[in-house]
């Protein structure tokens, strides 16, 4: 049997039991809050048919994606109801239409009149269902949730292609207190519902009101007026989610397996063969209460090694040492020893790898699951 002691490093490790627990927790919470609201998980982190099969227990439920490559490959695997949750650009209209002609019910997103008009010109009969992206927190793209004039103008430009609104409360990633998260989650839902009412009052039927994120998914208490909820990284967890307060360290299902290639006790440093090509350059915890460097170091069996973090990441070298400001010491590690690194951002770290080495609470590898990439 292949084990984490022998597989080539660096490698991406997925603990199936932890991921299953995370999946069940989110499903159960949302079902308890609003059993009639559709859960449309985001598979941009997973990028894997095997992970989707695990999430849905082999069924083919509605999903969210962030690239047309994901839409193509998940569609080919039988997922027929897909939201492409990134603002559409003109050159992507034809590829979207081609996917729809293959039988995939692909819904797209825009937040401006120019793109809405282009969509309507390409699909005058409403063959390209489109959501208007809302800005409910100033985080990224979208139309202001209360800007009725802009919303109505975009819906009018879309014509029969208009089917509803969507938002992503990415601002929740900057929070950390349960009460703040709960308030933010309810605010996201209320503001999306407000936008939907404005459109309905103007005569534009708003069939879909889609919201969501992992932090708000774990905290939301009221989904009145919402038809579907989206979340993605909840399946795996990461150090950013830990810092937000929605994911204890023991619920992080992803790690990067690495091998010690140099020890420098006089400098208090250890070098491993996982640099930013394996971990990514994401420093998402740098603005949080605890800075995890480029990742938190664990033993081969997944036990966190105190305040040991990846201090520096070069292309193929990771420099491990003690988190600044602590009194911890570097353990006695030898060349050839194996470690696991918990990632700052599961999406960015997983994107560096072509497969998951799947374990179930032990170093034994029970399967390898392919990942895909590209746009």
């Amino acid at each position: 049997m292949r084990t984490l002691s022998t597989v080539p490093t660096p490698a991406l490790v997925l603990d199936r039991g932890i991921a299953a627990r995370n999946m069940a927790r989110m499903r159960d919470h949302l079902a308890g809050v609003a059993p009639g609201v559709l859960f449309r998980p985001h598979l941009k982190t997973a990028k894997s048919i095997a992970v989707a099969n695990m999430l849905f227990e082999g069924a083919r439920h509605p999903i969210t994606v962030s690239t047309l490559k994901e839409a193509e490959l998940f569609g080919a695997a039988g997922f027929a109801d897909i939201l492409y949750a990134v603002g559409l650009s003109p050159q992507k209209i034809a590829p979207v239409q081609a996917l729809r002609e293959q039988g995939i019910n692909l819904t797209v997103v825009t937040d401006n009149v120019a793109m809405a008009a282009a969509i309507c010109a390409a699909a005058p009969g409403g063959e390209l269902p489109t959501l208007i992206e809302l800005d409910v927190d100033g985080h990224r793209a979208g139309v202001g949730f209360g800007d009725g004039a802009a919303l109505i103008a975009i819906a009018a430009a879309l014509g029969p292609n208009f089917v509803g609104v969507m938002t992503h409360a990415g601002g929740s990633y900057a929070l950390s207190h349960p009460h703040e998260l709960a308030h933010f989650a309810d605010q996201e839902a209320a503001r999306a519902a407000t936008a939907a009412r404005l459109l309905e009052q103007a005569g534009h039927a708003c069939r879909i009101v889609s919201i969501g994120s992992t932090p708000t998914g774990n905290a939301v208490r009221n989904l009145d007026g919402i038809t579907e909820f989206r979340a993605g990284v909840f399946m795996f967890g990461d150090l950013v989610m830990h810092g937000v307060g929605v994911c204890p360290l023991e619920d992080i299902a992803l790690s990067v397996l690495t091998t010690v290639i140099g020890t420098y006790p006089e400098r208090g440093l250890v070098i491993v063969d996982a640099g930013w090509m394996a971990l990514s350059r994401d420093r998402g915890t740098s603005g949080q209460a605890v800075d995890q460097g480029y990742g938190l170091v664990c033993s081969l069996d997944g036990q966190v090694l105190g305040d040991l973090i990846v201090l520096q990441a070069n292309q193929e070298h990771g420099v491990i040492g003690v988190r600044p400001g602590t009194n911890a010491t570097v353990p006695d590690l030898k060349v050839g020893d194996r470690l696991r690194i918990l990632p700052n951002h599961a999406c960015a770290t997983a994107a560096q790898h072509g497969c998951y080495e799947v374990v179930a609470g032990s170093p034994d590898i029970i399967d390898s699951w392919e990942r895909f990439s590209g746009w």
Side-chain angles (χ1 to χ4, degrees), residues 241-254:
M241 289 297 100
H242 174 66
V244 171
V246 300
C247 176
L249 292 176
E250 58 267 24
D251 283 348
I252 298 178
L254 277 187

Side-chain angles (χ1 to χ4, degrees), residues 113-373:
V113 169
M115 195 62 231
I119 289 170
C120 193
E127 304 89 356
L128 204 52
T130 305
L131 302 178
I132 299 176
E133 184 169 7
L134 304 174
D135 177 4
V136 297
D137 59 6
H139 171 65
R140 197 166 57 194
V143 184
F145 69 94
D147 190 345
L151 290 169
I152 291 166
I154 297 170
L158 284 169
N161 297 287
F162 172 71
V163 293
V165 296
M166 64 81 68
T167 186
H168 170 64
S172 62
Y173 284 54
L175 305 177
S176 60
H177 193 282
H179 295 307
E180 292 178 332
L181 287 167
H183 171 74
F184 203 87
D186 293 342
Q187 173 182 281
E188 176 191 20
R191 290 180 172 180
T194 293
R197 283 195 300 271
L198 285 170
L199 286 159
E200 293 275 2
Q201 290 165 4
H204 298 284
C206 203
R207 178 167 55 85
I208 298 172
V209 184
S210 179
I211 71 170
S213 71
T214 290
T216 55
N218 281 287
V220 71
R221 300 167 297 189
N222 187 346
L223 288 172
D224 291 347
I226 305 305
T227 67
E228 63 180 44
F229 197 96
R230 309 181 320 278
V233 76
F234 73 94
M235 293 179 273
F236 300 143
D238 56 28
L239 292 171
V240 168
M241 289 297 100
H242 174 66
V244 171
V246 300
C247 176
L249 292 176
E250 58 267 24
D251 283 348
I252 298 178
L254 277 187
S255 61
V256 174
L257 179 70
T258 187
T259 302
V260 174
I261 59 175
T263 61
Y264 306 89
E266 70 282 3
R267 290 188 284 156
L269 300 176
V270 171
I271 308 296
V272 295
D273 64 354
W276 58 256
M277 287 291 287
L279 300 172
S280 88
R281 276 203 180 277
D282 193 285
R283 291 282 283 106
T285 63
S286 61
Q288 294 183 329
V290 178
D291 185 347
Q292 306 281 12
Y294 289 90
L296 185 61
V297 181
C298 301
S299 63
L300 184 63
D301 62 1
Q303 299 301 306
V304 174
L305 296 177
D307 286 304
L308 205 62
I309 63 173
V310 181
L311 296 169
Q312 177 182 334
N314 302 120
Q315 183 165 338
E316 302 295 351
H317 295 75
V319 181
I320 290 175
V322 173
R323 182 185 288 107
T326 67
N327 296 319
T329 58
V330 177
D332 183 20
L333 295 168
K334 299 179 178 58
V335 171
D337 285 347
R338 295 203 160 197
L339 301 167
R340 288 161 70 177
I341 313 295
L342 300 181
N344 279 325
H345 184 182
C347 305
T349 296
Q352 311 302 305
H353 300 266
C355 74
Y356 301 97
E357 300 294 358
V358 184
V359 299
S362 82
D364 293 334
I365 296 173
I366 59 175
D367 209 344
S368 290
W369 290 351
E370 183 181 0
R371 299 185 78 259
F372 48 79
S373 60

